[in-house]
Amino acid sequence: MTDFRLHLSRISDRLNTLVIGLCAGLLAVMLVVSAAGVVLDLVVTLARQFGTGEAFTSGVGGWLYANTRPSVVRIFLPWLGMMSITVAFKYGEHIAIDLFSHRLPAAALLTIKVINFVSIAMFGFLLAWYGAELFALSSRNMIISSSLVLSQRWTVAAVPLAGLVICVHLADGFRLLEERNAARQDADGQGDDRQETAHRTEART
């Protein structure tokens, strides 16, 4: 059972690395498109002043200008947002309960952890289930620009995929929470030992 859980934990770690890479790639594309849009706005403004603005109404110039608008950047936002949720969950941002970790009895803290963990599990399952249903029912197209048309499924696909990733991380999420608390307690203990050693040194001198 321990080996199987360790195997699932490794899968979760690798999947999280892939998702982080995907988020970084999406963010890079969004920044490049946004920067290109700003530059092209300036170029088009100057071109119109010199009477050569028609170069950006058709052909390569027109395609570049049309596909560097804010509407193009927005098609990546659902993916970046949903995938970022899974990364935050993996690193304990949605399951950490540090505020109560040193104030509640062990039994009460364990109960809160279980409730929180089950809630996240239900959230991931519902995202995957209803997201898949929404994906199957999506049939409309989104007109991003005059030369770029995407299916609505592009946006909707991020929802069930995020749910599936969260479900995979469940194999590691609760253990991560416990290890982080333990690590912080060890760190606190080491800090106390260092302070005590410092006080002793000062007392001797």
Side-chain angles (χ1 to χ4, degrees):
M1 184 66 179
T2 303
D3 294 338
F4 179 70
R5 186 177 180 182
L6 181 61
H7 181 67
L8 290 178
S9 179
R10 290 175 178 174
I11 293 176
S12 174
D13 293 339
R14 293 174 182 175
L15 180 59
N16 185 62
T17 301
L18 291 176
V19 171
I20 291 176
L22 174 62
C23 290
L26 291 174
L27 185 59
V29 171
M30 292 169 64
L31 290 175
V32 169
V33 173
S34 297
V38 173
V39 173
L40 283 175
D41 280 337
L42 296 176
V43 172
V44 170
T45 300
L46 292 175
R48 288 174 178 173
Q49 291 181 353
F50 290 97
T52 57
E54 295 180 357
F56 295 93
T57 59
S58 61
V60 177
W63 186 91
L64 288 174
Y65 183 77
N67 292 290
T68 53
R69 302 299 90 203
S71 58
V72 177
V73 177
R74 285 196 291 267
I75 66 177
F76 299 104
L77 288 177
W79 278 89
L80 183 61
M82 296 303 298
M83 293 297 103
S84 297
I85 290 176
T86 68
V87 175
F89 172 74
K90 174 67 176 178
Y91 286 109
E93 297 297 331
H94 291 287
I95 60 176
I97 23 182
D98 297 335
L99 180 63
F100 305 101
S101 59
H102 301 294
R103 299 182 182 181
L104 292 177
L109 183 59
L110 179 60
T111 302
I112 291 178
K113 287 180 180 180
V114 171
I115 293 175
N116 198 13
F117 186 78
V118 171
S119 299
I120 294 296
M122 292 178 60
F123 176 70
F125 174 77
L126 292 175
L127 275 181
W129 181 268
Y130 288 104
E133 183 177 353
L134 182 61
F135 178 83
L137 295 176
S138 299
S139 58
R140 296 183 179 180
N141 291 328
M142 300 182 298
I143 301 177
I144 308 302
S145 66
S146 58
S147 58
L148 181 60
V149 179
L150 291 178
S151 172
Q152 194 178 31
R153 290 183 174 181
W154 159 263
T155 302
V156 177
V159 179
L161 185 59
L164 291 175
V165 174
I166 289 177
C167 289
V168 173
H169 289 336
L170 289 175
D172 197 44
F174 197 69
R175 185 182 66 86
L176 268 179
L177 178 61
E178 292 176 346
E179 286 187 352
R180 287 190 176 188
N181 286 339
R184 289 182 180 179
Q185 289 175 0
D186 293 340
D188 292 340
Q190 292 177 1
D192 294 338
D193 293 340
R194 291 176 182 175
Q195 290 180 358
E196 185 177 354
T197 303
H199 289 318
R200 289 179 179 178
T201 303
E202 293 177 357
R204 292 177 180 176
T205 56

